[in-house]
Amino acid sequence: MSRELTSEYARSGVDTTEADRALARLLLEIAPTAAFGSGTELGIGHFAAVIRVGPLHLALTTDGVGSKLLVAQALGKYDTVGIDCVAMNVNDLLCVGAKPLAMLDYIAVERCDPEVFGQIGRGLCEGARQAGVAIVGGETAQIPDMLRGAREGSGLDLAGMALGIVPDGGLCDGSKVQPGDVLIGVASSGVHSNGLSLARAVLARKFRLDEYVADLGTTVGEALLTPTRIYVPQVEALAKAGITPHALAHITGDGFLNIRRVEAPVGFEIDSLPPVPEVLRLISRIGELDAAELYTVFNMGVGFTVTVAPGDADRTLAALRATGLDAWRMGRAFADPERKVRILPERLVGRSKLFFREP
């Protein structure tokens, strides 16, 4: 059954089952390194690693932009992908209660082009401004024998690493979530930087990347390049309002299943879904994709979630909306050692890495 649910994504070039097996092997091999240094305050599998350095808890994360770069290469437009690189890293830091401080970037290219580097730099700068972080260094590599792009000489990879600090008593690992806690979703800006292999494969059946689509109000490529939203202002707004979230989740790869990455033995029941962005509706319609696959691969309009005590729900919604983003009460936590995610309007239940249709 899992093969059926992931068939479209696998056909687009991303086999999540094989990826999980490969990752498990990697983790097995690196597990002994925990004894070589200071170790981690959180087990592997959280959104970011947290280590203790003297009296400080430092959070570390790394991520890249992925195949969204192929859209940038095809269009020759690189001024937003740097925002994605910052967003994918700092949003994960937020989920463990860290305040983002600094970033490093890594740019690997088939061929060095000052204009491309300049555009990437502008995006990195804008992302850093939105996140309130400094980009303190990085690395570049020219590796033409390893990289190929959407156009001749355009091969490119962009990734980053971010550092944050967790204040005393501020570690957020989901261990405080209680049954009855309220799950609140915060709006995404579109596809963000996950599921682009599937999104590109589906939309290519009907459109060119430079083709204007009335339903989108822009070209397909521009819609796909809409930068990943950075949620630092929203989390800061909660802190200023005196709200302590019990869990935070960045909705990236694995879609809504990211919500279940909590230490507490709870699952989540979603009874209200927000509007789906038009670009994701278009992907769903053209690809005739099953809801189980959609909610496993894409954010479906929710880029970040906040779980709070019931008494804090209204204040949380008000604080989030005051930042200018839509936010919605989506559901609640319930006692469940399997940590399932149930999406009631779609009759889906998620365990491990996949959603399934409930009978």
Side-chain angles (χ1 to χ4, degrees):
M1 186 172 187
S2 63
R3 190 170 297 173
E4 287 180 8
L5 292 176
T6 59
S7 60
E8 289 297 329
Y9 205 19
R11 279 195 284 270
S12 74
V14 180
D15 188 328
T16 56
T17 302
E18 285 298 312
D20 289 342
R21 283 200 286 265
L23 178 59
R25 177 60 188 274
L26 175 64
L27 294 178
L28 178 68
E29 297 295 337
I30 67 173
T33 67
F36 302 160
S38 60
T40 178
E41 298 288 298
L42 285 179
I44 292 175
H46 286 272
F47 289 92
V50 178
I51 61 173
R52 180 184 287 276
V53 181
L56 301 177
H57 282 90
L58 299 180
L60 304 163
T61 189
T62 185
D63 206 344
V65 180
S67 66
K68 192 169 191 171
L69 292 169
L70 291 173
V71 181
Q73 292 165 25
L75 297 180
K77 185 179 186 306
Y78 300 90
D79 58 336
T80 59
V81 292
I83 301 173
D84 290 286
C85 187
V86 175
M88 296 301 289
N89 282 280
V90 300
N91 287 344
D92 280 358
L93 287 180
L94 296 174
C95 294
V96 298
K99 174 180 172 56
L101 296 178
M103 270 196 66
L104 302 173
D105 62 78
Y106 171 74
I107 306 172
V109 294
E110 183 179 358
R111 185 175 66 201
C112 289
D113 183 327
E115 175 59 28
V116 171
F117 274 58
Q119 289 191 44
I120 291 172
R122 286 197 293 276
L124 287 168
C125 184
E126 174 57 20
R129 183 195 67 77
Q130 292 181 28
V133 301
I135 296 177
V136 296
E139 184 61 81
T140 61
Q142 187 173 359
I143 43 179
D145 291 339
M146 293 177 61
L147 289 176
R148 293 292 181 272
R151 294 182 295 133
E152 179 68 27
S154 69
L156 167 70
D157 193 22
L158 173 63
M161 189 279 283
L163 169 72
I165 187 167
V166 181
D168 287 341
L171 185 65
C172 185
D173 61 2
S175 60
K176 296 179 181 178
V177 179
Q178 298 288 322
D181 280 358
V182 177
L183 178 70
I184 291 170
V186 189
S188 73
S189 58
V191 179
H192 282 189
S193 291
N194 291 97
L196 265 295
S197 293
L198 180 56
R200 289 184 300 105
V202 167
L203 292 175
R205 298 175 190 174
K206 188 170 181 180
F207 303 109
R208 301 184 316 275
L209 284 175
D210 62 355
E211 187 171 348
Y212 180 87
V213 178
D215 287 346
L216 299 177
T218 186
T219 66
V220 170
E222 290 277 3
L224 292 178
L225 285 178
T226 301
T228 304
R229 189 156 270 157
I230 292 172
Y231 294 100
V232 171
Q234 286 66 47
V235 174
E236 288 180 343
L238 297 181
K240 289 177 182 176
I243 297 164
T244 302
H246 289 176
L248 299 163
H250 184 199
I251 310 303
T252 55
D254 297 333
F256 275 34
L257 292 167
N258 284 282
I259 299 167
R260 65 190 298 272
R261 292 165 70 173
V262 295
E263 289 291 320
V266 299
F268 291 89
E269 188 173 79
I270 296 171
D271 55 22
S272 179
L273 293 170
V276 177
E278 189 56 46
V279 64
L280 291 171
R281 290 169 58 86
L282 191 65
I283 292 166
S284 171
R285 188 163 63 249
I286 293 174
E288 298 181 336
L289 301 177
D290 186 273
E293 185 159 20
L294 288 168
Y295 283 91
T296 300
V297 176
F298 298 114
N299 65 61
M300 299 306 287
V302 179
F304 203 80
T305 63
V306 182
T307 302
V308 294
D312 286 336
D314 289 340
R315 289 195 305 132
T316 298
L317 285 166
L320 292 170
R321 289 168 178 167
T323 68
L325 296 188
D326 287 334
W328 312 272
R329 188 188 297 246
M330 295 176 60
R332 64 199 60 79
F334 66 96
D336 179 18
E338 291 187 78
R339 297 176 178 84
K340 294 187 290 291
V341 177
R342 295 187 181 277
I343 304 179
L344 300 185
E346 298 286 352
R347 293 178 38 236
L348 299 176
V349 58
R351 301 180 183 88
S352 184
K353 292 284 189 177
L354 294 169
F355 278 105
F356 299 92
R357 181 78 62 183
E358 290 193 295

